Amino acid sequence: MSEDLRNPRQYFGSHPMLGPAYHQIFKAMATALMMAIVLYAYRALEHDGGAVLTTQTRMLFAMAGLTVLFTYYGLLRSQTMIDGEGITQSWMFKTGVAWEDIRAVRVQRHRLAVRLMVRTQAGRVHVYDAGSDELGFAFDAIARAYPSA
């Protein structure tokens, strides 16, 4: 990525990048949390807790459990792609922004997370996550090519 990145569309059009949206440590923490939730639920129901739950309460817990599982699956499988069309990220739903729609960007760095905040021409803000150093460096390069948000 030592080439000039004044035109991200052109650079990433010939050098597309695909990587995880979330760092391995976040995925490990989410897995540990899921295991704790499952264990807690099992223990709560094991002690005859399920006998006192109404059908409506069981349905509520089932829907909440499915929502948590769906979110967990999305976190594990999420990918960020930068190519000639723009930036996309899959998660629970695929989101993206085209290069010509970008008005300004900002990179936020935390201990284990790098985020690219993109303000579009319409004023909406999109947030993209980098789960690898390569994507983080690409976010930095994109930030140098656009005004700061």
Side-chain angles (χ1 to χ4, degrees), residues 11-65:
Y11 178 82
F12 290 110
S14 59
H15 302 87
M17 296 188 79
L18 176 67
Y22 298 99
H23 197 276
Q24 285 296 105
I25 292 177
F26 284 128
K27 292 178 183 182
M29 289 180 351
T31 300
L33 182 62
M34 283 299 296
M35 290 170 52
I37 290 171
V38 168
L39 180 65
Y40 182 77
Y42 173 76
R43 288 192 154 195
L45 294 175
E46 179 183 42
H47 292 13
D48 207 23
V52 296
L53 298 177
T54 66
T55 302
Q56 291 174 333
T57 305
R58 288 174 194 242
M59 292 294 290
L60 177 67
F61 284 154
M63 294 301 290

Side-chain angles (χ1 to χ4, degrees), residues 6-124:
R6 291 186 190 144
N7 187 344
R9 167 183 261 172
Q10 185 177 18
Y11 178 82
F12 290 110
S14 59
H15 302 87
M17 296 188 79
L18 176 67
Y22 298 99
H23 197 276
Q24 285 296 105
I25 292 177
F26 284 128
K27 292 178 183 182
M29 289 180 351
T31 300
L33 182 62
M34 283 299 296
M35 290 170 52
I37 290 171
V38 168
L39 180 65
Y40 182 77
Y42 173 76
R43 288 192 154 195
L45 294 175
E46 179 183 42
H47 292 13
D48 207 23
V52 296
L53 298 177
T54 66
T55 302
Q56 291 174 333
T57 305
R58 288 174 194 242
M59 292 294 290
L60 177 67
F61 284 154
M63 294 301 290
L66 287 174
T67 301
V68 169
L69 283 173
F70 187 59
T71 303
Y72 171 66
Y73 178 77
L75 182 123
L76 293 181
R77 304 283 300 161
S78 181
Q79 298 278 312
T80 300
M81 173 133 189
I82 307 171
D83 60 14
E85 300 298 315
I87 307 165
T88 57
Q89 182 170 320
S90 63
W91 191 57
M92 291 170 56
F93 307 100
K94 189 173 184 177
T95 62
V97 64
W99 294 117
E100 60 269 7
D101 291 338
I102 297 175
R103 182 172 73 189
V105 299
R106 179 187 308 168
V107 175
Q108 287 186 336
R109 289 190 171 274
H110 306 285
R111 288 184 181 231
L112 296 173
V114 179
R115 286 188 164 170
L116 182 69
M117 298 179 68
V118 176
R119 183 172 302 279
T120 65
Q121 298 294 345
R124 294 187 61 198

